[in-house]
Amino acid sequence: MSQPGILYIVATPIGNLRDFSPRARETIERVDAVCAEDTRRSGQLLAHLGIAKPLIALHEHNEQTMAERLAVRLARGESLALISDAGTPLVSDPGYRLVRAARAGGITVSPVPGPCAAIAALSVAGLASDRFVFEGFLPAKPAARRERLTYLSNEPRTLVFYEASHRIADTLTDMSTVLGGDRPAVIARELTKLFETVLDGTLAQLCERIQADADQRKGEFVVVVQGAPEDVDARLSEGKRLYAKLSEHLPPSAAAKLAAEISGAPRKALYGSVAMDD
Ligand code: SAM
């Protein structure tokens, strides 16, 4: 029986074709076929790069069925590359079902990393990047979008969103209303392309800027927003409440350890403490 093939997850440029890595090229040249969300668009990219390969459509609507079929082809020895229209597959793009099916079949899945709009934006935003939350696209409907923003309003980690040109103005207005106009944020537009623009300011300032200039509403966007200030007091009082409950059943050191893990409050501050609202 032949050796199983390998599934390569290959990043492609988010604008500038020179960001296509030599290893991405070698990989695509070596595989038997390339899976792509939009075969017409990816065909153009590969033609531009001088690569001819059979293309297999893999998108939201057929991924479930295709994943099983492609896992069989991989098991029989074919190697495949998955690419998306731009950037890193699986990041707000299809692919995880295929990866899951391949992994379940014992197939090696290997990344060929490269451009990703979220990471590129974060790298130039100048906002805390040690911890961040990737939120992808907010819901298109205004009520659902505001609800999601409300859910995120106390999130202390930096928030990273994708947005399309026809919604950027409305999304920024909602962000300013729900998260607060004075929240620092960055709009990264058309990264690596001719009209690359990175604007920073408060959400209120950015709203104004985008509304005043139609050119700033064109293209592709990543919005990076500073997280909410950490609520140290709330963590401590939650930690103390948990400690009080847990120490009814556990030794003090174990109760303090567990309460600290759950609440995020420092263990030392909880050990032997009394709940604030007792
Ligand atoms: N998989 C891609 C990645 O790795 O970034 C993202 C795919 S998602 C369907 C497309 C969205 O990514 C766009 O609507 C935009 O929000 C963002 N995006 C893609 N290219 C971009 C660019 N050059 N500049 C800014 N945002 C970009």
Side-chain angles (χ1 to χ4, degrees):
M1 205 173 131
S2 61
Q3 282 278 95
I6 295 177
L7 172 62
Y8 295 97
I9 307 300
V10 182
T12 57
I14 55 169
N16 191 324
L17 292 184
R18 281 177 297 153
D19 291 338
F20 192 67
S21 77
R23 199 159 83 84
R25 171 185 286 279
E26 282 161 26
T27 305
I28 290 184
E29 280 170 347
R30 195 173 340 117
V31 293
D32 297 290
V34 175
C35 309
E37 187 181 4
D38 180 340
T39 49
R40 195 185 55 87
R41 220 171 136 169
S42 293
Q44 282 168 354
L45 171 75
L46 297 190
H48 191 88
L49 297 163
I51 305 173
K53 274 290 148 179
L55 287 161
I56 303 166
L58 183 92
H59 43 71
E60 228 193 302
H61 308 292
N62 73 353
E63 190 179 348
Q64 193 68 58
T65 29
M66 283 306 283
E68 299 303 326
R69 283 189 218 161
L70 293 170
V72 172
R73 285 174 67 164
L74 287 156
R76 288 188 183 147
E78 276 187 66
S79 279
L80 301 174
L82 171 68
I83 61 173
S84 55
D85 289 354
T88 301
L90 281 84
V91 179
S92 279
D93 269 332
Y96 90 87
R97 291 183 185 86
L98 172 61
V99 171
R100 190 172 54 187
R103 297 185 63 80
I107 305 294
T108 301
V109 184
S110 183
V112 182
C116 172
I119 300 299
L122 193 65
S123 74
V124 294
L127 294 171
S129 54
D130 48 347
R131 288 191 174 80
F132 63 91
V133 183
F134 175 64
E135 271 292 314
F137 291 95
L138 283 164
K141 296 211 170 97
R145 182 164 62 227
R146 286 194 281 267
E147 196 180 314
R148 184 74 196 160
L149 286 167
T150 304
Y151 171 83
L152 294 167
S153 57
N154 290 322
E155 170 57 61
R157 292 168 291 183
T158 297
L159 300 155
V160 182
F161 301 92
Y162 281 165
E163 196 47 282
S165 53
H166 59 285
R167 274 199 287 268
I168 188 70
D170 288 347
T171 291
L172 283 168
T173 304
D174 284 347
M175 283 179 171
S176 182
T177 309
V178 179
L179 304 178
D182 53 358
R183 210 61 91 106
V186 168
I187 303 174
R189 182 175 80 94
E190 293 289 88
L191 293 172
T192 79
K193 302 188 211 175
L194 186 60
F195 294 109
E196 176 180 287
T197 318
V198 180
L199 299 175
D200 60 39
T202 63
L203 280 170
Q205 288 166 339
L206 291 170
C207 259
E208 239 177 71
R209 181 80 199 270
I210 293 285
Q211 265 147 16
D213 184 351
D215 283 343
Q216 293 301 328
R217 299 195 291 271
K218 291 180 185 153
E220 299 193 281
F221 297 84
V222 183
V223 182
V224 188
V225 183
Q226 183 170 297
E230 290 260 11
D231 193 343
V232 179
D233 288 347
R235 283 183 180 203
L236 196 58
S237 72
E238 175 63 1
K240 287 184 175 180
R241 192 188 65 76
L242 283 168
Y243 174 77
K245 278 271 165 242
L246 290 167
S247 54
E248 287 170 14
H249 310 281
L250 295 170
S253 61
K257 186 166 180 282
L258 194 54
E261 258 174 41
I262 298 170
S263 65
R267 185 173 55 85
K268 279 190 186 150
L270 304 181
Y271 190 85
S273 66
V274 176
M276 282 173 184
D277 51 0
D278 275 1

